[in-house]
Amino acid sequence: MKKILYVSACVKRDIDSRTERLAQAYLQKCLEFQDCSITTVHLENTVMPPLTGKGLAEREEAIRKGDFSGSAFELAVKFASAD
């Protein structure tokens, strides 16, 4: 089964977005013609705190240990697992 990661940057959910309509049409066709799952990430709902010196050091230490379980790696893990 293919894994599709759809990253939606559409912030105008209350109006008709042509880009969102096109993306949804494409995703529906993917579902019709191949065995796949779709994970959607809405950027407007994603918390991305600023990277500080302490945060950078913690991230680098986690990378050195091969520990990608922290929230700082959540989107990267989703991206890496998608086809």
Side-chain angles (χ1 to χ4, degrees):
M1 174 184 295
K2 286 205 174 249
K3 294 180 182 179
I4 297 173
L5 176 62
Y6 171 49
V7 180
S8 174
C10 182
V11 295
K12 298 180 179 180
R13 298 205 183 280
D14 56 337
I15 66 168
D16 190 29
S17 166
R18 290 175 300 202
T19 304
E20 184 68 18
R21 276 188 291 147
L22 287 170
Q24 291 303 321
Y26 175 78
L27 294 171
Q28 286 304 313
K29 289 296 180 187
C30 287
L31 289 171
E32 288 176 25
F33 292 106
Q34 60 185 331
D35 185 25
C36 64
S37 65
I38 300 171
T39 300
T40 301
V41 173
H42 295 282
L43 289 183
E44 71 175 331
N45 299 333
T46 304
V47 176
M48 291 186 227
L51 189 58
T52 62
K54 179 183 176 195
L56 180 60
E58 290 170 353
R59 188 186 75 175
E60 292 298 320
E61 180 64 16
I63 291 170
R64 188 184 67 71
K65 291 179 178 178
D67 178 10
F68 302 104
S69 62
S71 62
F73 300 105
E74 184 178 349
L75 292 176
V77 169
K78 285 181 182 180
F79 187 83
S81 69
D83 293 307

